[in-house]
Amino acid sequence: MSKLTSEIENRRTFAIISHPDAGKTTITEKVLLFGKQIQEAGVVKGRKGKHATSDWMEMEKERGISVTTSVMQFPYGGKVVNLLDTPGHEDFSEDTYRTLTAVDSALMVIDGAKGVEARTIKLMEVCRLRDTPIVTFMNKMDRDIRDPIELLDEVEDVLKIKCAPVSWPIGMGKQFKGVYHLLEDKTYLYKSGLGHTIQEERVIEGLDNPELDQAIGSLAADLRDELELVLGASHEFDLQEFLDGQLTPVFFGTALGNFGVDHMLDGLVEWAPSPLPRETDNRDVPATEDKFTGFVFKIQANMDPQHRDRIAFVRICSGKYQKGMKMRHVRLGRDIAVNNALTFLAGDREHLEEAYAGDIIGLHNHGTIQIGDTFTEGEELKFRGIPNFAPELFRRVRLRDPMKNKALLKGLVQLSEEGATQVFRPQNSNDLILGAVGVLQFDVVAARLKNEYKVECIYDQVSVATARWVTCDNEKMFEEFKRKNADNIALDGGDNWSYLAPTMVNLNLAMERWPDVTFLETREH
Ligand code: GDP
């Protein structure tokens, strides 16, 4: 096998999907601890409790940590793991969704006391767009959680994915004793209070081992009974079904107690796919092709307040990046020499010499790079599957100085190309309406408009509940649709027709009335 192929097949690129407070930050710390990137877990700071502010510099400072942890690369189990951050609290945004288009697998973290929560459902829908394989971690076993069987049922019912328990919890809360690993036929015993370390766990071989009864008393008999029930009612792990996104292996543990996280990681590096082929407008590109290709899934504004640069995050889809190489920016038909791409070893920004398919590199961007852009070694390709997502929050933008309308529109269109927000221009008014999926996006846009475009704006509430992009093969009918619904029709930043619905009921009615019009929740760049 060539070095290129072995490097690429060794890559595992994933992201964490979870509802706020389920334990994503904690699990990231432990994962990095296992990746030996940090001596003692506790370095990855959460971003909660930080208030959204319209002061850009303050925001930079507050969000600094989330920038450096945007991508974390570390070795684990002989593999090179890339963990992509998915902003989750106030900094939840369309980037969170788009990051999921740049991974090959995802880890779903569920709070065992709460079960499947709203944000998880939404993020799972995004994973479904590409049938991304999902590994599940049921967290907080050291608390009084819900019945584990019930939790699996809920995942199956609500998320429509089969569950294959790989480990099974013994007790919960103060009585949490550890997990039984179904595939290894071993029991791992839990000791509390060691969450900041990698523990020497006591392991008992075999379910019928009397040592188990000595160690956990009557819970051993309960475990045996329960497992019989579980095996009857749940699915066996099946690699192909996992890779097809139809089945999720489930691990139980506590991120805080750093227990079970390694079992989950072991499963992830063993089963999760190495970089997958990616679809373009004319062919599929296998990851192990010699020539470099990649696409932009995120643009992070201004990491260094001294320089107004932005970093474009590129997922390498094939081949490798080498310092000084020439890349073609396909949309602009322009070749550039790249000497200073960035990599993100946990916690640190670093200049790197080379990177392989599956890795993420950061390119300095002075406003020419857009979300969805493709870079190649010369081939005319465009990667697909890096969409815009229908916004869920809307604001009307008003200028403090009405003379600056042109600057405002220019700024908004550019910011929408970077994925900071989406902009809609209703056909029946002179309004400008911004759409976002996270509320902080509005503050970021206001701050950047002020800093970079010298326009100050105010937001008003607007009665838009949701938006859909609309298309129709029948041109005449489309014209009629637009005329009859003129109050709801708008153009987005890229001049695509969209339908702004004041309520979900209104949207459903419109969809019923116009069966030949397609209402889309995502739009390709
Ligand atoms: P995030 O919002 O998903 O990043 O969640 P955090 O990792 O910040 O966790 C939210 C809260 O749950 C914090 O107070 C954590 O200390 C706590 N937490 C995380 N994992 C566990 C766990 O396994 N057991 C317990 N008892 N608490 C946990």
Side-chain angles (χ1 to χ4, degrees):
M1 202 190 287
S2 73
K3 177 166 189 289
L4 182 82
T5 307
S6 72
E7 286 283 356
I8 292 171
E9 291 192 346
N10 244 358
R11 277 358 194 221
R12 297 289 181 273
T13 301
F14 78 106
I16 301 180
I17 59 175
S18 64
H19 193 81
D21 289 332
K24 186 183 69 131
T25 310
T26 313
I27 215 166
T28 302
E29 283 169 13
K30 311 303 171 178
V31 162
L32 292 179
L33 180 63
F34 282 109
K36 300 279 193 304
Q37 287 296 328
I38 46 181
Q39 287 305 307
E40 230 173 69
V43 172
V44 183
K45 295 271 173 4
R47 296 172 297 282
K48 67 192 62 170
K50 311 257 166 87
H51 292 291
T53 152
S54 55
D55 184 325
W56 180 235
M57 295 291 280
E58 272 311 305
M59 231 153 62
E60 287 263 291
K61 268 188 250 154
E62 289 193 356
R63 287 162 59 89
I65 193 83
S66 94
V67 167
T68 50
T69 58
S70 281
V71 182
M72 291 156 271
Q73 186 181 72
F74 56 91
Y76 185 85
K79 304 281 191 272
V80 176
V81 179
N82 292 306
L83 170 53
L84 275 53
D85 185 36
T86 39
H89 285 265
E90 291 91 346
D91 51 356
F92 177 68
S93 72
E94 219 183 324
D95 282 344
T96 310
Y97 291 162
R98 238 170 343 237
T99 295
L100 296 175
T101 68
V103 299
D104 301 302
S105 57
L107 168 65
M108 172 163 75
V109 178
I110 290 179
D111 181 333
K114 296 195 174 142
V116 178
E117 295 176 88
R119 182 74 55 79
T120 310
I121 298 173
K122 188 70 208 178
L123 294 171
M124 190 64 185
E125 277 172 24
V126 177
C127 289
R128 274 268 149 67
L129 295 174
R130 305 180 60 245
D131 291 327
T132 304
I134 310 273
V135 173
T136 300
F137 188 79
M138 290 287 181
N139 193 23
K140 306 198 183 178
M141 291 302 121
D142 61 323
R143 289 228 183 124
D144 286 327
I145 56 138
R146 285 168 46 191
D147 174 22
I149 295 182
E150 202 185 292
L151 286 171
L152 297 192
D153 281 349
E154 186 169 288
V155 170
E156 296 209 337
D157 283 355
V158 179
L159 301 177
K160 305 280 179 266
I161 189 165
K162 293 184 200 168
C163 289
V166 175
S167 68
W168 195 256
I170 307 169
M172 66 168 86
K174 290 212 163 53
Q175 297 303 314
F176 180 57
K177 298 291 180 202
V179 296
Y180 170 73
H181 198 295
L182 282 81
L183 302 183
E184 296 175 357
D185 187 24
K186 286 178 186 166
T187 303
Y188 292 83
L189 295 179
Y190 168 67
K191 268 199 220 134
S192 63
L194 298 172
H196 55 290
T197 61
I198 295 177
Q199 300 157 40
E200 290 277 339
E201 285 162 0
R202 186 170 163 208
V203 183
I204 297 175
E205 303 273 345
L207 188 59
D208 293 324
N209 193 336
E211 250 188 75
L212 188 60
D213 300 80
Q214 280 162 16
I216 60 174
S218 65
L219 282 171
D222 295 350
L223 171 67
R224 292 181 191 113
D225 287 348
E226 196 175 26
L227 277 174
E228 245 175 69
L229 204 91
V230 171
L231 290 178
S234 66
H235 301 270
E236 245 178 76
F237 178 69
D238 180 293
L239 185 59
Q240 195 54 51
E241 282 190 283
F242 163 67
L243 293 173
D244 293 341
Q246 304 294 321
L247 171 144
T248 177
V250 181
F251 296 85
F252 289 82
T254 150
L256 196 63
N258 196 16
F259 184 84
V261 176
D262 48 346
H263 310 149
M264 178 281 295
L265 264 180
D266 290 343
L268 191 108
V269 297
E270 186 181 342
W271 301 321
S274 55
L276 296 167
R278 294 270 162 172
E279 194 187 337
T280 70
D281 51 5
N282 52 25
R283 68 183 185 96
D284 279 1
V285 178
T288 49
E289 257 181 27
D290 285 347
K291 293 235 159 100
F292 172 93
T293 62
F295 66 80
V296 177
F297 64 94
K298 169 168 159 170
I299 292 173
Q300 181 89 49
N302 204 351
M303 305 168 97
D304 178 353
Q306 299 301 311
H307 307 98
R308 279 216 333 219
D309 71 340
R310 295 153 225 184
I311 299 293
F313 288 76
V314 176
R315 147 88 196 210
I316 306 180
C317 296
S318 68
K320 73 175 195 182
Y321 158 80
Q322 218 159 3
K323 193 175 159 135
M325 76 179 287
K326 244 206 205 150
M327 282 184 200
R328 166 157 302 180
H329 190 174
V330 175
R331 185 176 48 82
L332 299 181
R334 194 188 288 168
D335 289 319
I336 46 168
V338 183
N339 280 305
N340 55 353
L342 301 170
T343 185
F344 304 87
L345 285 173
D348 266 315
R349 271 219 272 174
E350 285 191 12
H351 289 274
L352 84 164
E353 301 288 320
E354 54 183 32
Y356 294 87
D359 292 344
I360 310 301
I361 54 174
L363 301 181
H364 290 277
N365 166 27
H366 305 287
T368 53
I369 303 180
Q370 298 179 3
I371 296 280
D373 279 0
T374 297
F375 286 87
T376 67
E377 276 186 61
E379 192 177 349
E380 298 296 322
L381 280 183
K382 176 154 179 34
F383 281 101
R384 300 178 49 77
I386 317 115
N388 274 124
F389 294 86
E392 289 146 35
L393 304 166
F394 298 85
R395 298 280 188 277
R396 181 184 292 115
V397 200
R398 207 152 37 86
L399 282 168
R400 284 195 196 278
D401 174 0
M403 301 300 285
K404 295 219 162 152
N405 215 12
K406 237 173 144 179
L408 175 69
L409 189 60
K410 177 167 169 244
L412 287 178
V413 168
Q414 283 188 1
L415 292 176
S416 72
E417 285 164 353
E418 287 187 13
T421 182
Q422 293 185 43
V423 55
F424 296 94
R425 286 161 292 150
Q427 291 305 283
N428 261 2
S429 71
N430 290 323
D431 284 351
L432 281 174
I433 291 177
L434 296 193
V437 303
V439 75
L440 188 72
Q441 286 181 258
F442 296 121
D443 292 317
V444 170
V445 167
R448 291 189 59 189
L449 281 172
K450 189 170 161 197
N451 270 1
E452 296 167 32
Y453 301 89
K454 309 287 172 242
V455 278
E456 286 194 55
C457 67
I458 319 166
Y459 293 127
D460 293 330
Q461 298 294 332
V462 57
S463 84
V464 179
T466 189
R468 293 290 182 273
W469 287 281
V470 281
T471 61
C472 182
D473 290 338
N474 181 336
E475 231 170 84
K476 230 177 109 195
M477 185 181 291
F478 199 40
E479 287 310 316
E480 193 189 334
F481 166 75
K482 286 190 293 191
R483 192 164 40 80
K484 291 217 165 131
N485 294 282
D487 286 343
N488 302 87
I489 297 295
L491 281 169
D492 75 359
D495 283 339
N496 304 288
W497 292 108
S498 23
Y499 182 91
L500 303 180
T503 60
M504 289 311 280
V505 174
N506 170 287
L507 175 67
N508 290 333
L509 274 176
M511 288 167 73
E512 251 171 57
R513 276 191 203 135
W514 300 88
D516 293 321
V517 174
T518 316
F519 293 73
L520 294 163
E521 274 188 78
T522 58
R523 188 184 67 72
E524 283 284 334
H525 284 267

